[in-house]
Amino acid sequence: MAGLGAWNLARAALIILLLPRSLEQCGHISLSAPIVRLGDPITASCTISQNCSRLDSESHIVWKLEAELQPGERQQYLPNGTLLSTITLPHLNRSRALLSCCLHWGNSLQILDQAELQAGYPPATPHNLSCLMNLTTNSLTCQWEPGPNTHLSTNFTLKSFKSRGNCQSREDSIPDCVPEDGQSHCSIPRKHLQLYQNMGIWVQAKNALGTSVSPKLCLVPMDVVKLEPPTLWARGPSPEVAPPQPGCLRLRWETWKPSLHIDQKCELRHQPLLGEASWDLVGALPSRTLQYELCGLLPSTAYALQMRCTRWRLPGHWSNWSPSLELTTTQRAPTVRMDTWWRQRQLDPRTVDVQLFWQPVPLEEDSGQIQGYLVLRPSDQAGADPMLCNTTELNCTFQLPSEAREVILEAYNTAGTSHPTPVVFLESGGPPLGRLHTVARDPHSLWVGWEPPSPQPRGYVIEWGLGPPSPSGSPKTWRMEHNGSIAGTLLQENIRPFQLYEITVTPLYQDTKGPSQHIYAYSQEMAPSHGPELHLRHIGKTWAQLEWVPEAPELGRSPLTHYTIFWTNAQDRSFSTVLNASSHSFVLRGLEPSSLYHVHLMAASQVWATNSTSLTLMTLALGFPLTLEESELHILLGLFGLLVLLICLCGAAQLCCRPRKNPLWPSVPDPAHSSLGSWVPTITTEDTFQLPSLRDSSMPPITKITVLEEEEKKPGPWESNDSSGTCGLPSLVQAYVLQGDPRVPRIQPQPQSGTSDQVLYVQVLGSPTGPRPGHYLRCDSTQPLLGGLTPSPKSYENLWFQTSPLGTPEPLVPNPEDDCIFEPLLDFPLLQGLRVSGVEGLGGF
């Protein structure tokens, strides 16, 4: 702070030296107070004498606080011609600042005078005053805390006096002790002290704003003495003294020589060098003995020890802790339990190769350090070397006779050996485990579980190591579980992710063991090496069908759990959907026509996900030709429509083109309104079939036969029994038969009488139940076909049936007296349109 004020003054002096000669001694600044409390107001005035050559009626004084212009409160000319300007700063918030009085000189602002302003706080009361008598420097050293910063130069003084009472009266003054700048401690020399007389001591703090003193401290210098720490040593072995017990340390120390005449008490603390254990403190030790045996420590463990001392039975201060002494406790024989496991291999009928494994389990916290292991033959095997192995490893390989079933295992150190552990090679004959299974808890652990067999084993041996394709002799980790009721255990040692492990569990029984069960597992499987390749199968205007071929499962790769398809349009809008692992195709719907889309497929497993190849596709435009599926659909629909139309046309043609058939009555043309050429049907070759001839084997084939249902009908009024007109019409007309080919033109006979309408008739004689075939009767009657009183028959009245009085048809027997001849009527015109539709009514026809 003082340095900063000196710099400001030097800067002001330099500015004054640089002023023009005409401005020297022109101005002067006066302050109401050079130092004020921080935040208080301060007033300053600047006076410019009339001797200043630049002073005129328009001169104006300008104030600056550091580099900031400050407005002056008032400015006036005094009667003696001097110019006076006054300024008041309401709050001085800077601990140090430079105030300048300036006057305009040409185009610049010239500084006439400067003053340094200081602000701060009065000194706080010093506190926590304490004193120690240091016998090394033979002085009384006191220290205190000065309090908060005052921003001002503050002087501290350690004041004291001698007193015979309780420091209420002063006898002799002791010179003040002034510490160095910035320090808060001071030492009073021995020559100013009375070691066993009371002293009054206090601290005074003083600066420009005030003075403060600390509370008085009344003490006797020897009551506040602080001794130097002792020096620790280890006690060496001695023939007269037995060696220390395991877990014990022997040490000695030497006190500080200037304090040999002072009764002291000491404290000892110890801490193991390894680990993060805290210090353990041992109670007060008498300093006169200068040696001590510390017990209750861990055997074969390195410790750090420290000691401090103080006046005994009198007031005083503890010394500092001595430098650490490092000692190691003696060893004890190992107290451990040995868990063992083995593998056997038959070398020859008389020798077996044994690989023995073991793990020491401490039985106590201080079970002793193990330096090595011994594998011995049992004592009953005389004549052979009892030593099989002496090793520091946790396994040993040796050979035994095939009949040997036991060895002895011991752990040892310099203090002795552990209790012997017999190792009995059990035969495999117990029940096996049930359902061995594993679950990966995290990348560095595996849970292996099983179903306990019955009876319950006494324990289990679990082995695990790298599985194939690692070498068969690779090291394995093993552990023994002594609780036979458990159904699983967590494996955390030597488990790494992405590695295949072979785990073997063997149950142990009292005198035998069960068969080993194996299982393979990963603590963490890797992600698929690559995702399936995405393909576009079909695409439309608003849809696209994608497909992919799932990758074959890989060993050590996590199986896929689902797929996720992402697609993005040209506007960077993203869409996605999740599919199960069995899917291998998907149809994107709701796409926009003639739009570009970017698609990629992500295959995910329980571990992580892998992206497949990306695909870019463009949907079809609205006017684009049909796709393959759409065209096939349209073709199928068209073919189906044509087939239906064709079936309809064929059905209509069949109904329209085939001859009309009346199931109740045959269609016989009306003779009065017909001509031979208009109603004779066309006969095809394939419709011609043979019927039995009546009288001649050369009879032309019968082309058409029509069979009418028999029906009883009474004779109408127009029917007559006159044989001359009707030639004796029969009571039952059974059929009309057309013989010959109607397509062959025939020469009709000319009528021999003057009647031009003479028509020939024929009668078909026969019975439906008669054994003989029917006969044709040709009539030469010249009676007109239609009489005056006889109406034209209806379409169903073209046949006449006659019945006997008993109601049964009578057979028609030809009469030689009738004007008829018995011969086939081959050329009778009306018989050419006669059709026969059935043969069951023809009788013997």
Side-chain angles (χ1 to χ4, degrees):
M1 297 179 183
L4 182 59
W7 162 252
N8 289 333
L9 292 176
R11 187 175 63 170
L14 179 61
I15 292 174
I16 293 175
L17 290 175
L18 295 177
L19 291 175
R21 297 284 297 177
S22 59
L23 297 180
E24 292 181 5
Q25 305 299 326
C26 278
H28 176 69
I29 296 177
S30 299
L31 300 175
S32 60
I35 301 176
V36 296
R37 290 178 65 96
L38 198 63
D40 287 355
I42 186 172
T43 301
S45 61
C46 181
T47 304
I48 302 177
S49 64
Q50 61 180 354
N51 298 329
C52 184
S53 60
R54 295 292 296 178
L55 186 63
D56 52 30
S57 60
E58 297 182 358
S59 298
H60 184 73
I61 296 176
V62 179
W63 292 92
K64 293 180 65 176
L65 183 62
E66 292 295 338
E68 300 177 2
L69 294 176
Q70 302 291 329
E73 289 186 355
R74 61 185 180 273
Q75 183 171 319
Q76 61 182 349
Y77 283 93
L78 300 178
N80 58 0
T82 60
L83 181 62
L84 177 64
S85 178
T86 304
I87 185 174
T88 298
L89 301 177
H91 303 285
L92 185 59
N93 296 324
R94 305 179 185 182
S95 61
R96 292 185 180 272
L98 197 62
L99 182 64
S100 303
C101 176
C102 306
L103 186 67
H104 285 285
W105 180 271
N107 295 329
S108 61
L109 194 64
Q110 298 296 331
I111 298 176
L112 301 181
D113 193 12
Q114 287 186 321
E116 184 182 18
L117 306 180
Q118 295 186 37
Y121 300 103
T125 301
H127 57 285
N128 290 341
L129 176 63
S130 62
C131 298
L132 295 175
M133 184 63 194
N134 194 331
L135 298 181
T136 304
T137 60
N138 208 12
S139 61
L140 182 66
T141 302
C142 299
Q143 61 182 9
W144 62 90
E145 294 182 9
N149 186 14
T150 63
H151 302 288
L152 298 174
S153 177
T154 303
N155 298 322
F156 293 90
T157 303
L158 181 64
K159 295 181 175 292
S160 60
F161 62 89
K162 299 177 183 178
S163 176
R164 292 192 180 273
N166 293 329
C167 300
Q168 299 297 327
S169 61
R170 298 187 182 186
E171 289 189 357
D172 297 325
S173 296
I174 298 175
D176 294 341
C177 182
V178 180
E180 298 180 2
D181 292 339
Q183 294 185 353
S184 58
H185 60 84
C186 194
S187 297
I188 303 174
R190 169 69 177 81
K191 61 182 179 179
H192 300 302
L193 300 175
Q194 293 291 336
L195 296 181
Y196 296 98
Q197 185 180 359
N198 285 336
M199 292 180 60
I201 304 173
W202 74 96
V203 179
Q204 175 183 289
K206 184 179 181 180
N207 63 13
L209 297 180
T211 301
S212 64
V213 294
S214 68
K216 288 183 176 61
L217 184 63
C218 187
L219 55 83
V220 176
M222 285 303 293
D223 290 344
V224 293
V225 67
K226 181 178 181 179
L227 303 177
E228 290 296 322
T231 303
L232 289 176
W233 303 91
R235 288 178 58 184
S238 174
E240 294 83 6
V241 181
Q245 295 295 321
C248 293
L249 290 175
R250 290 177 180 175
L251 66 151
R252 63 183 181 88
W253 63 91
E254 294 179 358
T255 59
W256 181 51
K257 290 182 179 180
S259 63
L260 290 177
H261 62 284
I262 300 175
D263 292 337
Q264 303 177 24
K265 64 178 180 180
C266 301
E267 289 181 346
L268 179 68
R269 68 178 184 178
H270 57 85
Q271 180 188 37
L273 290 180
L274 300 179
E276 299 179 355
S278 59
W279 290 94
D280 291 332
L281 186 65
V282 180
L285 304 177
S287 62
R288 297 285 182 185
T289 58
L290 300 180
Q291 63 181 6
Y292 186 71
E293 184 175 9
L294 179 64
C295 292
L297 306 178
L298 297 177
S300 186
T301 304
Y303 284 88
L305 299 95
Q306 292 179 344
M307 181 177 282
R308 66 178 182 176
C309 299
T310 186
R311 294 176 71 196
W312 187 37
R313 296 178 182 175
L314 292 174
H317 292 276
W318 286 99
S319 68
N320 295 330
W321 289 102
S322 66
S324 296
L325 173 65
E326 295 182 2
L327 295 176
T328 301
T329 57
T330 58
Q331 292 183 351
R332 60 181 295 182
T335 54
V336 294
R337 183 191 75 234
M338 308 294 282
D339 290 339
T340 59
W341 184 241
W342 66 91
R343 296 193 188 100
Q344 291 180 332
R345 182 169 58 93
Q346 191 75 34
L347 296 180
D348 54 59
R350 302 181 58 184
T351 308
V352 63
D353 184 79
V354 180
Q355 188 176 12
L356 182 64
F357 305 91
W358 58 86
Q359 291 177 351
V361 180
L363 298 178
E364 301 176 7
E365 184 179 359
D366 52 348
S367 59
Q369 183 179 5
I370 298 177
Q371 295 180 342
Y373 301 93
L374 298 175
V375 180
L376 307 173
R377 298 176 187 268
S379 58
D380 56 355
Q381 298 181 9
D385 185 7
M387 180 73 66
L388 293 175
C389 287
N390 184 0
T391 179
T392 59
E393 302 294 332
L394 295 178
N395 61 84
C396 177
T397 302
F398 50 87
Q399 295 180 1
L400 289 176
S402 299
E403 62 274 9
R405 290 292 179 268
E406 183 181 354
V407 293
I408 302 299
L409 178 63
E410 295 178 351
Y412 68 89
N413 58 17
T414 55
T417 61
S418 65
H419 293 289
T421 300
V423 181
V424 180
F425 303 120
L426 302 176
E427 296 291 339
S428 180
L433 295 174
R435 206 178 71 84
L436 190 63
H437 59 277
T438 61
V439 176
R441 292 290 180 87
D442 55 65
H444 298 279
S445 65
L446 277 171
W447 170 265
V448 55
W450 57 83
E451 294 180 359
S454 181
Q456 179 177 304
R458 62 178 177 88
Y460 302 93
V461 174
I462 301 96
E463 298 178 274
W464 67 94
L466 294 178
S470 61
S472 58
S474 57
K476 291 189 175 184
T477 307
W478 68 281
R479 187 172 71 207
M480 180 174 288
E481 295 289 346
H482 294 274
N483 185 1
S485 62
I486 64 174
T489 183
L490 184 63
L491 309 180
Q492 294 178 297
E493 302 175 31
N494 300 328
I495 300 293
R496 294 178 296 170
F498 315 127
Q499 298 289 337
L500 179 63
Y501 287 92
E502 180 184 7
I503 304 173
T504 305
V505 181
T506 305
L508 301 178
Y509 300 93
Q510 190 62 36
D511 297 322
T512 183
K513 65 176 182 177
S516 301
Q517 302 287 336
H518 305 268
I519 194 172
Y520 295 88
Y522 286 89
S523 64
Q524 183 179 1
E525 295 178 313
M526 292 183 289
S529 57
H530 57 276
E533 187 175 355
L534 195 61
H535 299 282
L536 177 64
R537 184 174 182 182
H538 298 297
I539 192 169
K541 301 179 184 65
T542 60
W543 59 272
Q545 184 177 6
L546 309 174
E547 66 176 2
W548 60 91
V549 179
E551 298 293 330
E554 300 180 60
L555 185 63
R557 307 282 182 176
S558 179
L560 296 181
T561 57
H562 63 276
Y563 294 102
T564 304
I565 296 180
F566 302 89
W567 66 95
T568 307
N569 59 12
Q571 290 77 28
D572 289 336
R573 292 186 58 191
S574 298
F575 309 91
S576 64
T577 185
V578 179
L579 307 174
N580 54 34
S582 61
S583 303
H584 56 82
S585 65
F586 183 73
V587 178
L588 304 180
R589 302 188 183 276
L591 307 181
E592 297 180 0
S594 187
S595 299
L596 187 68
Y597 288 87
H598 299 280
V599 187
H600 74 272
L601 178 69
M602 183 179 70
S605 64
Q606 293 181 349
V607 182
W608 45 53
T610 301
N611 288 332
S612 69
T613 55
S614 297
L615 185 65
T616 301
L617 55 90
M618 173 74 77
T619 55
L620 302 180
L622 289 176
F624 198 84
L626 297 177
T627 59
L628 180 59
E629 285 191 349
E630 292 176 340
S631 61
E632 290 178 354
L633 179 61
H634 285 225
I635 290 174
L636 291 177
L637 291 177
L639 291 177
F640 181 74
L642 291 177
L643 181 59
V644 172
L645 181 59
L646 183 59
I647 292 174
C648 294
L649 292 177
C650 292
Q654 183 178 7
L655 292 177
C656 295
C657 296
R658 74 176 183 176
R660 297 181 61 186
K661 295 175 59 178
N662 194 334
L664 298 178
W665 204 266
S667 179
V668 177
D670 188 359
H673 302 86
S674 61
S675 62
L676 184 60
S678 60
W679 60 270
V680 175
T682 304
I683 305 300
T684 57
T685 306
E686 57 271 14
D687 293 335
T688 303
F689 60 95
Q690 288 289 100
L691 288 177
S693 72
L694 296 176
R695 294 186 301 180
D696 190 0
S697 61
S698 62
M699 180 185 297
I702 298 174
T703 303
K704 297 290 183 178
I705 298 176
T706 300
V707 177
L708 302 180
E709 298 292 336
E710 295 184 1
E711 180 182 18
E712 291 185 0
K713 187 178 178 183
K714 296 181 179 180
W718 53 271
E719 294 177 347
S720 176
N721 294 327
D722 188 8
S723 60
S724 61
T726 59
C727 195
L729 289 175
S731 63
L732 176 62
V733 177
Q734 216 177 19
Y736 294 90
V737 179
L738 174 63
Q739 293 181 342
D741 192 352
R743 289 170 294 184
V744 178
R746 295 178 180 269
I747 300 173
Q748 299 295 335
Q750 296 295 327
Q752 300 189 5
S753 65
T755 305
S756 61
D757 294 333
Q758 185 180 0
V759 181
L760 299 180
Y761 291 89
V762 70
Q763 293 181 9
V764 180
L765 306 181
S767 176
T769 58
R772 295 170 302 154
H775 302 277
Y776 301 92
L777 301 181
R778 186 172 181 178
C779 186
D780 293 334
S781 175
T782 58
Q783 184 178 351
L785 182 60
L786 298 177
L789 297 178
T790 303
S792 298
K794 302 295 183 181
S795 58
Y796 52 87
E797 294 179 344
N798 54 352
L799 295 178
W800 294 266
F801 298 88
Q802 296 181 2
T803 57
S804 64
L806 297 178
T808 56
E810 295 179 357
L812 190 60
V813 180
N815 189 0
E817 300 177 357
D818 292 339
D819 189 13
C820 298
I821 59 173
F822 295 91
E823 64 180 67
L825 307 180
L826 304 180
D827 54 351
F828 189 62
L830 292 181
L831 292 182
Q832 296 181 6
L834 193 64
R835 300 175 60 110
V836 178
S837 59
V839 295
E840 63 275 5
L842 295 179
F845 226 98

Coordinates of all heavy atoms in Angstrom, one line a residue, residues 382-416:
A382 N 6.5 -96.1 3.4 CA 7.9 -96.2 3.7 C 8.7 -96.5 2.5 O 8.3 -97.2 1.6 CB 8.1 -97.2 4.8
G383 N 10.0 -96.1 2.5 CA 10.9 -96.4 1.5 C 10.9 -95.5 0.3 O 11.8 -95.6 -0.5
A384 N 10.1 -94.5 0.3 CA 10.0 -93.6 -0.8 C 10.3 -92.2 -0.3 O 10.2 -91.9 0.9 CB 8.6 -93.6 -1.5
D385 N 10.8 -91.3 -1.2 CA 11.1 -89.9 -0.8 C 9.8 -89.2 -0.4 O 8.8 -89.2 -1.2 CB 11.7 -89.2 -2.0 CG 12.1 -87.8 -1.6 OD1 12.1 -87.4 -0.4 OD2 12.5 -87.0 -2.5
P386 N 9.7 -88.8 0.9 CA 8.4 -88.2 1.3 C 8.1 -86.8 0.6 O 6.9 -86.5 0.5 CB 8.6 -88.0 2.8 CG 10.1 -87.8 3.0 CD 10.7 -88.7 2.0
M387 N 9.1 -86.2 0.1 CA 8.9 -84.9 -0.5 C 8.4 -85.0 -2.0 O 9.2 -85.6 -2.8 CB 10.2 -84.0 -0.5 CG 10.0 -82.6 -1.1 SD 9.0 -81.5 -0.1 CE 10.1 -81.4 1.3
L388 N 7.2 -84.5 -2.3 CA 6.8 -84.6 -3.7 C 6.9 -83.2 -4.4 O 7.3 -83.1 -5.5 CB 5.3 -85.0 -3.7 CG 5.0 -86.4 -3.3 CD1 3.5 -86.7 -3.3 CD2 5.6 -87.4 -4.3
C389 N 6.6 -82.1 -3.6 CA 6.7 -80.8 -4.2 C 7.1 -79.8 -3.1 O 6.7 -80.0 -1.9 CB 5.4 -80.3 -4.8 SG 5.0 -81.1 -6.3
N390 N 7.9 -78.8 -3.4 CA 8.2 -77.7 -2.6 C 8.2 -76.4 -3.5 O 9.1 -76.2 -4.2 CB 9.6 -77.8 -1.9 CG 9.9 -76.7 -0.9 OD1 9.1 -75.8 -0.7 ND2 11.1 -76.7 -0.3
T391 N 7.1 -75.7 -3.4 CA 6.9 -74.7 -4.4 C 6.2 -73.4 -3.7 O 5.7 -73.5 -2.7 CB 6.0 -75.2 -5.5 OG1 5.8 -74.2 -6.5 CG2 4.7 -75.7 -5.0
T392 N 6.3 -72.3 -4.4 CA 5.6 -71.1 -4.0 C 4.4 -70.9 -4.9 O 3.6 -69.9 -4.6 CB 6.6 -69.9 -4.2 OG1 7.0 -69.8 -5.5 CG2 7.8 -70.0 -3.2
E393 N 4.1 -71.8 -5.8 CA 2.9 -71.6 -6.7 C 1.8 -72.3 -6.0 O 1.9 -72.9 -4.9 CB 3.2 -72.3 -8.0 CG 4.3 -71.7 -8.8 CD 4.1 -70.3 -9.2 OE1 2.9 -69.9 -9.4 OE2 5.1 -69.6 -9.4
L394 N 0.6 -72.2 -6.6 CA -0.6 -72.8 -6.0 C -1.0 -74.1 -6.7 O -2.2 -74.5 -6.7 CB -1.8 -71.8 -6.1 CG -1.6 -70.5 -5.3 CD1 -2.8 -69.6 -5.5 CD2 -1.5 -70.8 -3.8
N395 N 0.0 -74.7 -7.4 CA -0.3 -76.0 -8.0 C 1.0 -76.8 -8.1 O 2.1 -76.2 -8.0 CB -0.9 -75.8 -9.4 CG -0.1 -75.0 -10.3 OD1 0.8 -75.6 -11.0 ND2 -0.3 -73.7 -10.4
C396 N 0.9 -78.1 -8.3 CA 2.1 -78.9 -8.4 C 1.7 -80.2 -9.2 O 0.5 -80.7 -9.0 CB 2.6 -79.3 -7.0 SG 4.0 -80.4 -7.0
T397 N 2.6 -80.7 -10.0 CA 2.4 -81.9 -10.7 C 3.4 -82.9 -10.3 O 4.6 -82.7 -10.2 CB 2.5 -81.6 -12.2 OG1 1.6 -80.6 -12.6 CG2 2.2 -82.9 -13.1
F398 N 2.9 -84.1 -10.0 CA 3.8 -85.2 -9.6 C 3.2 -86.5 -10.0 O 2.0 -86.6 -10.5 CB 4.0 -85.2 -8.0 CG 2.7 -85.1 -7.3 CD1 2.0 -86.2 -6.9 CD2 2.2 -83.8 -6.9 CE1 0.8 -86.1 -6.2 CE2 1.0 -83.7 -6.2 CZ 0.3 -84.8 -5.8
Q399 N 3.9 -87.6 -9.8 CA 3.5 -88.9 -10.2 C 3.4 -89.8 -8.9 O 4.2 -89.7 -8.0 CB 4.4 -89.6 -11.2 CG 4.5 -88.8 -12.5 CD 5.4 -89.5 -13.5 OE1 6.1 -90.5 -13.2 NE2 5.5 -88.9 -14.7
L400 N 2.3 -90.7 -8.9 CA 2.1 -91.6 -7.8 C 1.8 -93.0 -8.3 O 1.4 -93.1 -9.5 CB 0.9 -91.1 -7.0 CG 1.1 -89.8 -6.1 CD1 -0.3 -89.5 -5.5 CD2 2.1 -90.0 -5.1
P401 N 2.0 -94.0 -7.5 CA 1.5 -95.3 -7.9 C 0.0 -95.3 -8.0 O -0.7 -94.5 -7.4 CB 2.0 -96.2 -6.7 CG 3.1 -95.4 -6.1 CD 2.7 -94.0 -6.2
S402 N -0.5 -96.2 -8.9 CA -1.9 -96.3 -9.1 C -2.7 -96.6 -7.9 O -3.9 -96.1 -7.8 CB -2.2 -97.4 -10.2 OG -1.5 -97.0 -11.4
E403 N -2.1 -97.3 -6.9 CA -2.9 -97.6 -5.7 C -2.9 -96.5 -4.7 O -3.6 -96.5 -3.7 CB -2.4 -98.9 -5.1 CG -0.9 -98.8 -4.6 CD 0.1 -99.1 -5.7 OE1 -0.4 -99.3 -6.9 OE2 1.3 -99.2 -5.4
A404 N -2.1 -95.4 -4.9 CA -2.0 -94.3 -3.9 C -3.3 -93.5 -4.0 O -3.8 -93.2 -5.1 CB -0.8 -93.4 -4.2
R405 N -3.8 -93.1 -2.8 CA -5.1 -92.4 -2.7 C -5.0 -91.2 -1.9 O -6.0 -90.5 -1.7 CB -6.2 -93.3 -2.1 CG -6.6 -94.5 -3.1 CD -7.3 -93.9 -4.3 NE -7.7 -94.9 -5.2 CZ -7.0 -95.4 -6.2 NH1 -5.8 -94.8 -6.5 NH2 -7.5 -96.3 -7.0
E406 N -3.8 -90.8 -1.4 CA -3.7 -89.6 -0.5 C -2.3 -89.0 -0.5 O -1.3 -89.7 -0.6 CB -4.1 -90.1 1.0 CG -4.1 -89.0 2.0 CD -4.5 -89.5 3.4 OE1 -4.8 -90.7 3.5 OE2 -4.4 -88.7 4.3
V407 N -2.3 -87.7 -0.3 CA -1.0 -86.9 -0.1 C -1.3 -85.9 1.0 O -2.5 -85.7 1.4 CB -0.5 -86.2 -1.4 CG1 -0.1 -87.2 -2.4 CG2 -1.6 -85.3 -1.9
I408 N -0.2 -85.3 1.5 CA -0.3 -84.3 2.6 C 0.2 -82.9 2.1 O 1.2 -82.8 1.4 CB 0.5 -84.7 3.8 CG1 0.1 -86.1 4.3 CG2 0.4 -83.7 4.9 CD1 -1.3 -86.1 4.8
L409 N -0.6 -81.8 2.4 CA -0.2 -80.5 1.9 C 0.0 -79.6 3.1 O -0.9 -79.6 4.1 CB -1.4 -79.9 1.0 CG -1.2 -78.5 0.5 CD1 0.0 -78.4 -0.4 CD2 -2.5 -78.1 -0.2
E410 N 1.1 -78.8 3.1 CA 1.4 -77.9 4.2 C 1.9 -76.6 3.7 O 2.5 -76.5 2.6 CB 2.5 -78.5 5.2 CG 2.1 -79.7 5.9 CD 3.2 -80.3 6.7 OE1 4.3 -79.7 6.6 OE2 3.0 -81.2 7.5
A411 N 1.6 -75.5 4.4 CA 2.1 -74.1 4.1 C 3.1 -73.8 5.2 O 2.9 -74.1 6.4 CB 1.0 -73.1 4.1
Y412 N 4.2 -73.1 4.8 CA 5.2 -72.8 5.8 C 5.8 -71.4 5.6 O 5.6 -70.7 4.6 CB 6.4 -73.8 5.6 CG 7.2 -73.7 4.4 CD1 8.3 -72.8 4.3 CD2 6.8 -74.4 3.2 CE1 9.0 -72.7 3.1 CE2 7.5 -74.3 2.0 CZ 8.6 -73.5 2.0 OH 9.3 -73.3 0.8
N413 N 6.5 -70.9 6.7 CA 7.3 -69.7 6.6 C 8.4 -69.9 7.7 O 8.6 -71.0 8.1 CB 6.4 -68.4 6.9 CG 5.7 -68.5 8.3 OD1 6.1 -69.3 9.1 ND2 4.7 -67.7 8.5
T414 N 9.1 -68.8 8.0 CA 10.2 -68.9 8.9 C 9.8 -69.3 10.3 O 10.6 -69.8 11.1 CB 11.0 -67.6 8.9 OG1 10.1 -66.5 9.3 CG2 11.6 -67.3 7.5
A415 N 8.5 -69.0 10.6 CA 8.1 -69.3 12.0 C 7.6 -70.7 12.1 O 7.4 -71.2 13.3 CB 7.0 -68.3 12.4
G416 N 7.4 -71.5 11.1 CA 6.9 -72.9 11.2 C 6.0 -73.2 10.0 O 5.9 -72.5 9.0

